[in-house]
Amino acid sequence: MKLWRSPLAWTFLASVVLLLGVGGWLLADPATSRSEALKTGGLAGGAVVALYALWLNDRRRRVEERRQDIERRRHELEAQRAEQDRERVADERFAKSVELLGHDADQVRVGALHALAGLARSRPDYTQTVLDVLCSYLRRPFEHPGSPSDDPELDRELTVRLTAQRLVSDLLPARDADAVAYDLDLTGAHLEYLNLAGKLIGGLLLRYASLRSTTNLSGCRFTGGVYFTAAGTTTGRQVGYFRCRGAVFESRAWFSGTKFAESVDFTGTTFAGPANFKDAKFAEDADFTDVVVTESLDLRRTSFLGHADLRFASLPESVSLYNTLVRTEKDVRLPEAWAQEVLPDGKARVVAKAG
């Protein structure tokens, strides 16, 4: 019974039937020779066999395609399962590292910071999240020990914080890299030796931050808004210089109310968006040589108490100079379009020349 269910058996039967039928029909014609009749019958039967071979080949092709599709889906499922496993391990690693940031031992906290940085390097999609965690650690309340310090616990915590700052810098791409520009939120943070020189940064929030020792932003490229509102530089373990040479601010740069306790250097920096220094105070020397400002510059109530070089390379049409003060006994260099208006108290107001 199984034999008659086979397509091959029916093909053979149909071939024989055609051979006999066509051959017999042609043999009945006196004009047809026996050899011609058998030849034509054989061709008819062979055509059936050829059709069966074509059908069989197509069936094998479809079976192979289905097998390959099943294999592809299996590989996709295995890849998805492996990716889910990696994500689960990464999530567990992240959660454990964050938990260890609250450990009492400073060496454990340092290890947790390095674990987070390692996670960001192996899983780039975690980078912004890890940077957010590092910044949140730096925003924690902290009483700077000063120098020298008589509190070992504060010294150890400062070491942990310096590690966090270095890892933040390490995770940021280079200035000209074709990479994601990550945001940093360091609002109210107490920072020392902050060095982000030559890095590509999205937005930077340093409102009300305390910047001790040298702060170096030279060569940075900021693609988002930068806010130093009411921040301040001061002496830490070393003098609190502020270096921002050759940086590029593509969006707004807000230094309103910032207090610079030591010398400031913006030489060659470009402000492509609004630059706001309203109510800023420069206690020592300030250098703005070759600075380019393209949109607007706000120097209202800005005070320059040391030597000041304000010879900008390019100034926008919108410049606000209301109550911009310099010291008459200091070396003050101004653009040709500006002048000093001497006041009775030994200060001078910077004003735009008439016409």
Side-chain angles (χ1 to χ4, degrees):
M1 293 297 292
K2 291 183 178 180
L3 179 63
W4 294 106
R5 295 178 182 178
S6 171
L8 180 60
W10 285 103
T11 301
F12 178 75
L13 179 61
S15 178
V16 172
V17 170
L18 280 174
L19 173 63
L20 296 176
V22 172
W25 177 67
L26 291 175
L27 286 174
D29 185 359
T32 306
S33 65
R34 179 180 295 180
S35 61
E36 287 294 328
L38 291 175
K39 181 179 179 181
T40 304
L43 288 174
V48 174
V49 175
L51 289 174
Y52 172 74
L54 289 174
W55 171 82
L56 185 62
N57 184 65
D58 181 68
R59 182 180 178 184
R60 288 175 178 172
R61 179 186 60 79
R62 286 186 279 112
V63 169
E64 180 64 19
E65 287 178 350
R66 285 196 293 268
R67 187 191 66 79
Q68 291 178 357
D69 185 60
I70 292 173
E71 189 71 13
R72 179 181 58 79
R73 293 182 180 179
R74 184 178 67 82
H75 284 303
E76 289 178 352
L77 288 174
E78 290 179 353
Q80 290 176 1
R81 188 178 298 111
E83 181 64 22
Q84 289 174 354
D85 290 341
R86 286 192 292 268
E87 289 181 355
R88 177 181 55 78
V89 171
D91 290 342
E92 292 175 354
R93 182 180 172 187
F94 175 79
K96 184 62 177 178
S97 298
V98 172
E99 180 182 350
L100 291 176
L101 288 179
H103 199 279
D104 291 338
D106 60 294
Q107 63 269 29
V108 175
R109 298 197 297 276
V110 169
L113 293 172
H114 281 285
L116 287 170
L119 175 61
R121 295 187 186 99
S122 61
R123 305 281 295 180
D125 50 316
Y126 270 85
T127 303
Q128 183 62 68
T129 303
V130 169
L131 286 171
D132 291 341
V133 173
L134 297 179
C135 289
S136 68
Y137 187 89
L138 293 170
R139 293 197 304 269
R140 294 173 57 183
F142 176 65
E143 182 180 350
H144 195 281
S147 181
S149 171
D150 55 0
D151 191 334
E153 181 61 32
L154 287 179
D155 283 339
R156 287 192 290 269
E157 174 60 16
L158 179 59
T159 300
V160 177
R161 299 173 72 87
L162 291 173
T163 301
Q165 290 178 201
R166 180 175 58 80
L167 292 175
V168 167
S169 179
D170 291 345
L171 290 176
L172 294 174
R175 164 182 172 147
D176 297 323
D178 183 14
V180 177
Y182 298 108
D183 299 327
L184 301 179
D185 184 358
L186 293 167
T187 302
H190 292 267
L191 307 171
E192 179 152 355
Y193 303 119
L194 179 63
N195 184 6
L196 302 178
K199 298 298 184 178
L200 172 65
I201 304 172
L204 176 61
L205 298 181
L206 276 164
R207 295 188 179 102
Y208 310 107
S210 176
L211 305 172
R212 293 176 178 269
S213 298
T214 297
T215 299
N216 191 0
L217 302 179
S218 296
C220 285
R221 180 161 67 96
F222 301 94
T223 61
V226 177
Y227 296 88
F228 280 78
T229 309
T233 66
T234 185
T235 300
R237 292 182 171 181
Q238 291 185 353
V239 178
Y241 299 121
F242 187 87
R243 300 288 180 260
C244 193
R245 297 171 59 94
V248 176
F249 295 83
E250 297 182 359
S251 184
R252 63 180 62 230
W254 235 247
F255 292 86
S256 55
T258 305
K259 294 179 173 56
F260 297 96
E262 296 295 337
S263 66
V264 176
D265 190 353
F266 280 99
T267 302
T269 291
T270 298
F271 295 91
N276 190 324
F277 289 88
K278 183 178 67 174
D279 294 314
K281 183 177 181 179
F282 296 84
E284 296 294 338
D285 300 346
D287 193 345
F288 284 81
T289 306
D290 295 330
V291 169
V292 175
V293 185
T294 60
E295 188 168 325
S296 65
L297 176 62
D298 192 344
L299 293 174
R300 289 177 294 171
R301 297 187 297 276
T302 305
S303 298
F304 297 92
L305 305 182
H307 303 302
D309 193 334
L310 304 180
R311 292 177 295 176
F312 293 83
S314 176
L315 286 170
E317 294 183 1
S318 176
V319 178
S320 300
L321 291 174
Y322 176 75
N323 272 354
T324 304
L325 301 178
V326 296
R327 300 290 300 186
T328 56
E329 72 274 14
K330 300 294 183 178
D331 182 16
V332 178
R333 302 185 180 186
L334 302 176
E336 292 183 0
W338 296 359
Q340 295 186 43
E341 183 181 277
V342 179
L343 301 175
D345 58 358
K347 297 179 181 179
R349 182 185 294 118
V350 177
V351 297
K353 293 181 180 178

